[in-house]
Amino acid sequence: MTDLPAYLRPFVLSVADGPDVGVDRLGELDLYRPAGSARTGAILFVHGGPAPPDLEVTPRDWPVYQGYATAAARRGAVAAVVDHSLIRGLDQLSTAADEVEAAIGVLRSDPRVDPDRVVLWFFSGAGLLAGEWLDSRPDWLRGVALTYPLLATPPGVDDLVNAAEVVGKHDRGGGVGNVLGKVLPVLLTRVGLERDELAGPVAEFVSAGGAALDIIDVPKGHHGFDMLDHTEESRAAVTKALDWAIAHLGEEPGPQGDLLVPPPKARTATTTTTARRTPAKPKPEPVKEKPAAEALPVEVARAETVAVKAAPAEAARAEAATTKAAAASPEVAAPARAQLPETEDVLSSISGTFGAADTPAARVVGREHSAYAAHDLEAFLAMYSPTARISFADGTDLKGRRFLRELYRPMFDAGRCKTEVVQKLMVGEWVVEHQVAHDTGEPVARIALYRVSEGLITDVEFRS
């Protein structure tokens, strides 16, 4: 055993027979499915990094993560292990964060998974990715586990949420966060023989977390004890941590013998799915739009959830004469049309034939608009690709769903999400809208261009 690299050493729980566990490989994600067909909660195991340059296999093929995932599946939960870019270096943190968020989307969309019951479990260097989840606390997150985590933000990295700074931020009566009216459970497994540069930030995290932070101590354990220290102390710590995760998913823990881990079965290669399950929280119906008259190159959208200003009488009469919608509903006045710069250059850059109002891309953008009007941040973000890019008129350029969360959360919290769609045109995967945004209190006219791929918004550009 000592001749093996540390990451190839066996998991501390012994191998034994138990219920079958199916293993599927979906892109960079391995899914471990328990026996039976019932829908269950899920655990995503997120490996650390960086790794040695002579790495022989990626983390999802390491015995330690195969062991954790199989043990969790034996207890009735769907388990997943994701390969992400942090393994290549700390300069890949932002990319890794986006990849982990994408893996969560795939996991929650799996038909065997209850999308409202997920635990995220971070190891070692992946502790740097945990802060944003401790801060955002989506409704589906039932717990966050950290095992010998790295929590000190590296120099030069300023776009990550520090876990120690947010673990007590949303305290409700001594709790860590607030999910569905309850505290967000957080588990820390710490080792007594930790390296000094990791032990200090962990101590700060414990101090910030308060009494609601659950802690499993491994006094004689090293960093990586679950593959290095084959002791009763190590086995007890791993078992307790698995008990904790399963309990917070609402699953019934199996007998201790079921935790023992056989080698995983051969994986079946399948195509990665990018579908995101719609969150369970009720959301309003998508914005309903009136069909355009055939003579018009654009359709006039009237969002039922957005207040519309009355147009001048002349504009209302002109529109009534040219659209069936206005004739059918004379009591609904046309929206006010703020003056825009010349837009021929924008529209001429899009070639092709204008599509019908109800295109797949338009439906995706419509659902995004409905979530925005309802101030449902998680439903809004679920319509975006994890690596979506948004460019603003002032030159600001953002990439990644987690940056969108940071940008939009204050606006959603303040109830300032209001945008009027004045005109819209669709061609293929593009949706182009003339909008009047009221988010700042003053109406701002702009052109918004949305690109939709595989059911998610991948690019947005605002021009004013």
Side-chain angles (χ1 to χ4, degrees):
M1 182 187 304
T2 55
D3 293 334
L4 290 172
Y7 61 85
L8 290 180
R9 296 180 188 178
F11 187 43
V12 295
L13 298 182
S14 302
V15 175
D17 293 333
D20 289 339
V21 171
V23 185
D24 294 324
R25 179 155 287 186
L26 304 176
E28 301 304 312
L29 188 71
D30 282 4
L31 288 172
Y32 291 68
R33 306 179 190 278
S37 58
R39 202 181 215 193
T40 72
I43 304 172
L44 179 65
F45 296 96
V46 185
H47 68 76
D54 58 348
L55 194 66
E56 296 180 17
V57 294
T58 59
R60 59 178 164 174
D61 287 322
W62 294 3
V64 64
Y65 296 118
Q66 292 175 339
Y68 272 108
T70 305
R74 285 255 177 98
R75 292 179 146 224
V78 173
V81 182
V82 57
D83 275 343
H84 57 83
S85 295
L86 185 58
I87 202 70
R88 297 196 297 271
L90 293 176
D91 60 337
Q92 300 293 310
L93 276 167
S94 293
T95 301
D98 291 335
E99 292 166 345
V100 168
E101 184 158 3
I104 293 169
V106 173
L107 179 61
R108 294 183 65 225
S109 71
D110 189 89
R112 285 290 307 277
V113 172
D114 179 346
D116 292 324
R117 290 191 291 147
V118 178
V119 165
L120 302 180
W121 196 326
F122 300 90
F123 295 79
S124 191
L128 295 171
L129 306 176
E132 66 173 286
W133 300 104
L134 293 171
D135 190 29
S136 62
R137 303 165 296 118
D139 289 347
W140 49 261
L141 184 59
R142 294 303 180 92
V144 172
L146 303 103
T147 297
Y148 43 82
L150 169 62
L151 297 173
T153 305
V157 176
D158 56 4
D159 56 358
L160 292 177
V161 179
N162 185 286
E165 293 178 357
V166 298
V167 67
K169 176 180 175 182
H170 305 285
D171 194 354
R172 299 291 185 272
V176 181
N178 189 298
V179 178
L180 299 175
K182 302 177 181 179
V183 296
L184 172 64
V186 180
L187 173 69
L188 169 68
T189 300
R190 61 183 177 182
V191 293
L193 303 179
E194 184 61 275
R195 301 194 293 267
D196 290 343
E197 64 270 22
L198 276 69
V202 166
E204 294 177 7
F205 180 78
V206 171
S207 177
L213 180 65
D214 295 320
I215 299 176
I216 297 175
D217 279 313
V218 191
K220 298 180 180 179
H222 296 82
H223 190 91
F225 75 94
D226 40 13
M227 51 186 159
L228 298 178
D229 304 322
H230 286 249
T231 65
E232 288 302 320
E233 180 183 72
S234 295
R235 285 187 281 274
V238 170
T239 301
K240 288 179 182 178
L242 285 163
D243 285 345
W244 182 94
I246 294 296
H248 286 292
L249 285 178
E251 307 290 350
E252 289 293 332
Q256 297 300 319
D258 287 353
L259 286 173
L260 305 183
V261 183
K265 294 183 177 181
R267 292 159 171 75
T268 302
T270 59
T271 303
T272 302
T273 176
T274 57
R276 297 297 300 269
R277 179 176 299 279
T278 303
K281 179 186 291 185
K283 300 186 295 297
E285 293 295 323
V287 174
K288 296 181 179 179
E289 297 152 352
K290 303 292 184 180
E294 294 180 357
L296 295 179
V298 297
E299 56 99 16
V300 179
R302 293 180 177 85
E304 296 180 354
T305 58
V306 179
V308 178
K309 295 183 179 179
E314 295 78 9
R317 285 194 296 271
E319 183 163 324
T322 56
T323 66
K324 297 179 182 179
S329 305
E331 72 281 3
V332 180
R337 305 191 183 212
Q339 293 298 315
L340 284 173
E342 293 297 321
T343 59
E344 286 77 8
D345 58 331
V346 176
L347 303 184
S348 64
S349 66
I350 302 177
S351 60
T353 303
F354 297 129
D358 191 24
T359 65
R363 289 194 292 271
V364 171
V365 174
R367 288 193 292 271
E368 186 259 25
H369 288 355
S370 293
Y372 187 78
H375 300 91
D376 188 338
L377 179 59
E378 292 306 318
F380 172 80
L381 294 172
M383 302 316 303
Y384 283 86
S385 163
T387 56
R389 180 188 65 86
I390 295 189
S391 297
F392 294 88
D394 64 359
T396 303
D397 195 55
L398 297 179
K399 183 177 180 181
R401 195 186 290 141
R402 64 197 185 89
F403 291 109
L404 300 185
R405 178 182 283 108
E406 294 174 9
L407 173 69
Y408 281 102
R409 182 188 291 118
M411 189 183 304
F412 275 74
D413 290 345
R416 293 189 288 108
C417 303
K418 181 181 177 182
T419 297
E420 173 188 340
V421 178
V422 180
Q423 289 181 313
K424 178 187 297 184
L425 64 85
M426 286 72 63
V427 54
E429 60 187 4
W430 285 94
V431 177
V432 182
E433 295 180 343
H434 168 188
Q435 301 177 342
V436 178
H438 301 271
D439 307 325
T440 62
E442 296 293 329
V444 176
R446 66 188 183 189
I447 292 291
L449 300 92
Y450 299 86
R451 184 179 184 182
V452 178
S453 178
E454 298 184 345
L456 296 174
I457 299 169
T458 60
D459 296 91
V460 180
E461 184 169 348
F462 294 110
R463 300 185 185 183
S464 59

